[in-house]
Amino acid sequence: MTQSPDAWWSRAVFYQAYPRSFRDSNGDGVGDLDGVTDGLDYLARLGVDALWLNPVMVSPMADHGYDVADPRDVDPIFGGLDALDRLIEAAHARDIKITMDLVPNHTSSRHPWFEAALAAGPGSAQRERYVFREGSGDAGIHPPNNWVSVFGGPAWTRVVEPDGNPGEWYLHLFDPEQPDLNWENPEVFDDLEKTLRFWLERGVDGFRIDVAHGMSKPPGLPDMATTDLAMLSHDSQDPRFNHDGVHDIHRGIRTVVNDHPEAVTIGEIWVFDNEDFAKYLRPDELHLGFNFRLVRAEFDAIEVREAIENSLAAADLAGSPPTWTLSNHDVDREVSRYGGGEIGLARARAMALVMLALPGVVFVYNGEELGLPNVDLPDEVLQDPVWERSDRTERGRDGCRVPMPWSGEAPPFGFSSSPDTWLPMPPEWAALTVAKQDGVEGSTLEFFRRAIELRHGRTDLGTGVEWLATPTGVLAFRGPDGVTCLLNATDHPVPLSDEDVLISSAPLVRGDLPPNAAAWVS
Ligand code: GLC
């Protein structure tokens, strides 16, 4: 490994707190930073090393914070800057690092820059901060190219010029409220540098970088070969992403971050070619990259093994620790992905044990440690822009963002003092609250606590894994410390011989590992 094997983050367990949904301290039904501070003892007990906070900057919340109107201030809904200072101090006192989400690809359409660009009109320096173009066709009535928004519909919106007539179009790879910045304009980097320094000087320990494979656009903005893509997806031929120019931007970011040698950068990189992925992790670019292969794998021994092998190969190419994640605020929760109900939960726990056995960096998404499933929400409460942008054909990501249940027998389950939470909480979560699981042997929460504790106790997780021969449907790999992780993805029990079981995701049945379960043995 060429990059800082001893750095604090190189084998950390990160906890992703979606601030709207973790805990609400002021009774407005929306989670906030003082809520996260209130939850720190819980997180310390879970054993996490660091938090990743989704964006908390000032935002009109068209995409719940990924539309930033002021990148150097905290939105009042999350408690303002003082609340962040309180959180950083309290987290550091418990040896927990704080990383924040940065959104460099786009701003909010309510950012003063974009408002100025609209007011200043075509040809102005203000418009040069974004990607404005003339339309195509007669009188520019069609968008400049065929690009589609990741959220659905065209990636271009036409503006009304200061003279009252329809005029130029601006690019937004996401919602129209998220205009893409023009990274050819040096002002854009200068402003990001200010933002990086602002947070680092406040004591933040690093950044998750949103759409880290975006930002740079190919010259001439060539058409996409196909626009018939599943929502929120793109392939390696897609001209909207992964343009080579992005690497200069990452080098620039790294130069600034290097002034704070302990700080980490983690890129959201939806790039599945290993060589391309590894480029983002060169020694002068990002420290870490999210690898999403495990999220995409079905609960199947071959698929899981392929995902692990591929992620390890990509990390190895890059000389950077691998990263592992089973869920986040953009994808269905794994309990539901793996089939829902008892089987889905059993499989999610099994996969958590697989993930926690792997070398490198692990990300746990809030609620994963409680075994929360996705929630089927009624149409009228949906808030994700994907819902409207897809003409109400795609429900979007709200189902994995429902607030955490803490205690009590009915919503809002101690999340808030207000029953009117920003997304409704299902009454059946009464069985899944922190209070219901705390101290209860066999609960998902106690299982996560123990697995994380054991992971921390394993001093040598190595940099790769040794695969062991197994029957079909079973996966087994051994770490350098001799601990073997077994996953039973068959429909029958698998004998464990007389090895010592350190932990299992489900109770053994007469010494056998039941279906949909995993164990660590030594
Ligand atoms: C990233 C975020 C997602 C957001 C998008 C636009 O993919 O994870 O939640 O909607 O970027 O900023």
Side-chain angles (χ1 to χ4, degrees):
M1 218 170 274
T2 56
Q3 288 195 35
S4 327
D6 301 325
W8 65 264
W9 38 262
S10 66
R11 47 174 296 174
V13 176
F14 279 77
Y15 184 90
Q16 178 190 354
Y18 193 69
R20 295 182 79 78
S21 298
F22 183 73
R23 211 176 156 107
D24 172 21
S25 74
N26 66 351
D28 64 359
V30 179
D32 47 45
L33 291 176
D34 284 325
V36 180
T37 305
D38 290 345
L40 281 174
D41 286 333
Y42 167 78
L43 295 171
R45 171 90 180 75
L46 185 58
V48 307
D49 303 297
L51 301 190
W52 152 29
L53 304 170
N54 292 87
V56 291
M57 291 85 173
V58 172
S59 165
M61 306 286 167
D63 186 20
H64 291 325
Y66 285 98
D67 47 320
V68 178
D70 181 350
R72 294 183 286 278
D73 199 357
V74 171
D75 199 277
I77 204 153
F78 295 127
L81 272 176
D82 291 346
L84 182 74
D85 290 343
R86 287 190 287 274
L87 171 59
I88 293 173
E89 196 186 334
H92 286 173
R94 290 165 178 80
D95 244 348
I96 295 177
K97 311 275 188 191
I98 297 288
T99 63
M100 296 177 84
D101 223 312
L102 267 196
V103 191
N105 181 69
H106 43 266
T107 68
S108 160
S109 54
R110 308 261 294 276
H111 187 292
W113 275 8
F114 194 74
E115 291 180 340
L118 290 184
S124 61
Q126 288 86 337
R127 288 228 168 156
E128 278 303 302
R129 293 171 178 146
Y130 294 90
V131 186
F132 279 89
R133 292 284 186 278
E134 294 281 330
S136 59
D138 277 351
I141 56 165
H142 298 301
N145 70 14
N146 73 348
W147 289 11
V148 287
S149 151
V150 174
F151 292 164
W156 296 91
T157 292
R158 195 170 194 188
V159 302
V160 176
E161 299 297 359
D163 65 7
N165 292 314
E168 292 188 322
W169 297 70
Y170 69 90
L171 178 68
H172 49 87
L173 293 185
F174 296 88
D175 205 59
E177 270 94 346
Q178 294 166 296
D180 278 50
L181 285 160
N182 170 19
W183 276 89
E184 301 287 311
N185 184 340
E187 265 188 87
V188 172
F189 183 80
D190 292 348
D191 193 69
L192 182 70
E193 175 168 357
K194 274 195 219 160
T195 301
L196 290 164
R197 293 196 189 283
F198 179 84
W199 297 115
L200 288 167
E201 282 159 19
R202 271 198 120 80
V204 160
D205 303 290
F207 304 101
R208 179 264 192 189
I209 300 191
D210 189 58
V211 201
H213 58 312
M215 297 184 273
S216 174
K217 310 293 185 298
L221 308 180
D223 273 350
M224 297 169 66
T226 171
T227 54
D228 187 19
L229 296 168
M231 186 82 55
L232 296 167
S233 78
H234 44 274
D235 61 25
S236 56
Q237 308 310 317
D238 192 326
R240 299 171 302 168
F241 295 100
N242 193 32
H243 181 250
D244 225 35
V246 76
H247 297 293
D248 283 339
I249 302 170
H250 287 300
R251 283 186 200 104
I253 292 175
R254 183 60 177 266
T255 309
V256 177
V257 171
N258 277 347
D259 286 345
H260 295 258
E262 291 289 301
V264 66
T265 51
I266 309 150
E268 183 203 24
I269 312 170
W270 287 92
V271 170
F272 290 91
D273 176 276
N274 282 352
E275 302 267 345
D276 279 354
F277 181 86
K279 286 186 187 162
Y280 288 83
L281 302 171
R282 289 178 286 203
D284 57 350
E285 297 195 37
L286 293 159
H287 296 96
L288 295 172
F290 274 105
N291 191 307
F292 295 110
R293 288 186 188 273
L294 216 48
V295 173
R296 288 190 164 187
E298 300 277 328
F299 186 79
D300 168 272
I302 294 175
E303 279 203 32
V304 171
R305 177 168 172 165
E306 279 174 5
I308 294 173
E309 282 182 323
N310 231 302
S311 305
L312 288 170
D316 201 46
L317 264 179
S320 152
T323 67
W324 310 100
T325 180
L326 291 171
S327 65
N328 63 35
H329 65 293
D330 289 331
V331 297
D332 284 354
R333 285 188 178 272
E334 61 273 49
V335 170
S336 305
R337 289 203 317 267
Y338 298 146
E342 268 178 43
I343 287 193
L345 177 59
R347 291 175 170 174
R349 288 170 57 139
M351 286 301 297
L353 210 49
V354 169
M355 173 169 81
L356 287 164
L358 291 164
V361 186
V362 166
F363 291 85
V364 175
Y365 174 48
N366 60 200
E368 185 171 337
E369 78 280 18
L370 301 177
L372 299 185
N374 245 54
V375 181
D376 286 327
L377 294 162
D379 293 3
E380 60 279 9
V381 304
L382 295 181
Q383 305 194 15
D384 186 350
V386 166
W387 173 236
E388 292 298 339
R389 294 283 291 166
S390 68
D391 290 331
R392 304 190 164 202
T393 56
E394 300 271 349
R395 304 192 71 73
R397 300 159 294 178
D398 295 310
C400 68
R401 299 174 174 177
V402 171
M404 290 254 294
W406 290 87
S407 58
E409 296 303 323
F413 295 120
F415 162 74
S416 172
S417 56
S418 161
D420 195 15
T421 53
W422 76 277
L423 285 173
M425 303 173 71
E428 62 273 20
W429 279 12
L432 295 174
T433 62
V434 172
K436 279 276 165 61
Q437 301 196 40
D438 189 21
V440 175
E441 209 190 312
S443 72
T444 303
L445 176 59
E446 290 301 337
F447 161 72
F448 264 85
R449 286 174 172 165
R450 180 74 184 130
I452 292 173
E453 186 183 10
L454 285 173
R455 177 184 170 86
H456 284 316
R458 293 180 61 184
T459 48
D460 190 5
L461 286 168
T463 55
V465 298
E466 180 196 349
W467 295 102
L468 306 181
T470 48
T472 309
V474 178
L475 187 82
F477 58 89
R478 183 158 49 205
D481 58 356
V483 173
T484 297
C485 176
L486 275 139
L487 171 72
N488 180 4
T490 71
D491 55 8
H492 51 267
V494 170
L496 282 182
S497 60
D498 9 302
E499 292 153 309
D500 273 339
V501 177
L502 299 175
I503 183 169
S504 62
S505 65
L508 303 186
V509 180
R510 287 177 297 280
D512 291 348
L513 185 63
N516 304 312
W520 292 3
V521 297
S522 64

